[in-house]
Amino acid sequence: MLRIGVDVGGTNTDAVVLDGSSILASVKSPTTEDISAGVINAVGQVVGQAGLDMAAISSVMIGTTQFTNAFVQARGLTRVGVMRLGAPATRSLPPLVAWPEAMRAAVFGDSEILPGGYQVDGSAITGLDEEAVRRTARRFADRGLSAVAVSSVFGPLNREGEAQAAAIIAEEIPGVSVTQATDIGRLGLLERESAAVMNASLRELSVLVVDAFETALKELGIAAPLYITQNDGTLMQASAVKQFPVLTFASGPTNSMRGAAFLTGESNAIVVDIGGTTTDVGVLVDGFPRESSINVDIGGVRTNFRMPDILSIGLGGGSRVVESDGELSIGPQSVGHDILTESKVFGGQTLTATDIVVAAGRASIGSQWSVADLSADFVRTADERMQQMLEEAVDRMKTGSGDVVVIMVGGGAILARDELQGAGRLLVPEQSGVANAVGAAIAQVGGEVDRVVSFDDEGREQALERVKSQAIEQAVAAGASADSTRVVDVEEIPLAYVPGHSVRVRVKAVGDLAQVSQAVGAAV
């Protein structure tokens, strides 16, 4: 079963071919301005290197940062009409409150707070005013809005209100794209609503991106199905990405962590992924990234949808190294994908972190003579500063005082020394430079259910089993084989002040793609 994994990063586009659990070939090439052209180039190279026929490929998995970058840079976004169900409550905090002004200007189309929503026990605040929904939808249409986000007070307790409003909006605005907040976010109205607005603003772009990927594969002669990796280490079908592009946010670090687990056989460790611009540090728990338990900011917007717990620091192979007035600085500015022309060891004029490693004699890359003019004291100081940055990042992600297993991956892994303070074992696996593409190739199919249940009504065991069954059914419906699907995470959070011993239960289940060998899942 031949699979291709591709990870499109800000600096490099990496690709691997896997046959079962064996890596047949890998390539790392600079990311191009035209992402699709870069994917065609990387896939063409790696399949040629493996000596395979394009027709033999069974599936292609791509991880991309395009949607994250587009939102953070407010580029290619669609203006969104926001409809909240909750009046008369919540009027003091309108949609997009506290968004950065530049981001709000790029996304906001119109908004309205209408009657509806629910109390903490799931009972209605007021009934849905269907005529008001229709009237607002027509107003959105008059303003030329083709994307709408719908949110409801305590929507996760009762999804009916959002679903009814979405259906009415679709009737009034033919062809409209509607994002329901409860499909993405969690409890917490403003953060969930913001996540829905983010998603709605990216859906038109997601159609263009996914279509471009599919066209690229067609031009290569690959007829295999295309999957996109999510930020929890699982896959989405291409059609699902067009509906929920925000779920790809931070999928790059996730792919690296899953790849690190696959390449080392370690299921519980800290993974340090050093790229060209940043170093991402995350925690593997049972082979999957630890999820963030707090709200996260993306482009200055606070949200609460599922995200891995990642610490990013501005240190990478292309980080600029500058000494000014006796002060040394390393990053966060980086030459990025221009490292092959800008870095001194490659004939450029910019001193980078890679140059320091070469000057220190810890790597043989490019022309070593080009950094021979650096003083030994300066090189030692810069090298120690980078080591200190890595050790501090690992220490911040640890949950205890003891040493941990640390896995070093990424094209910039040469920046780290052979020993790292706080690491009981420091592993740098073979193929560490393409761990992200490996992670994309081995990604499984997942299902996640987030519900508020009453233990008083049905009992804890019965309620948990019901939610677990729903998560497994969701994974299988998304393409997982029933035999391999298992529950990998269960989270229970008691809800204060809510009657009936109510508890928020979140369950995640994963399984291998139905057509993929069981051997891969067993290896992770």
Side-chain angles (χ1 to χ4, degrees), residues 167-180:
I168 294 172
I169 295 167
E171 290 176 5
E172 295 295 331
I173 314 176
V176 69
S177 166
V178 182
T179 297
Q180 295 177 221

Side-chain angles (χ1 to χ4, degrees), residues 134-148:
R134 291 187 186 279
R135 189 166 55 248
T136 302
R138 290 194 289 270
R139 191 180 83 203
F140 287 173
D142 291 341
R143 297 191 175 186
L145 301 177
S146 59
V148 176

Side-chain angles (χ1 to χ4, degrees), residues 394 398 402-407 419-427:
V394 169
K398 290 167 62 176
D403 289 347
V404 296
V405 176
V406 176
I407 307 172
E419 294 183 353
L420 197 69
Q421 186 176 356
R425 285 188 294 144
L426 179 61
L427 307 177

Side-chain angles (χ1 to χ4, degrees), residues 50-64:
L52 299 172
D53 190 310
M54 294 290 184
I57 304 302
S58 62
S59 55
V60 179
M61 293 78 164
I62 296 179
T64 177

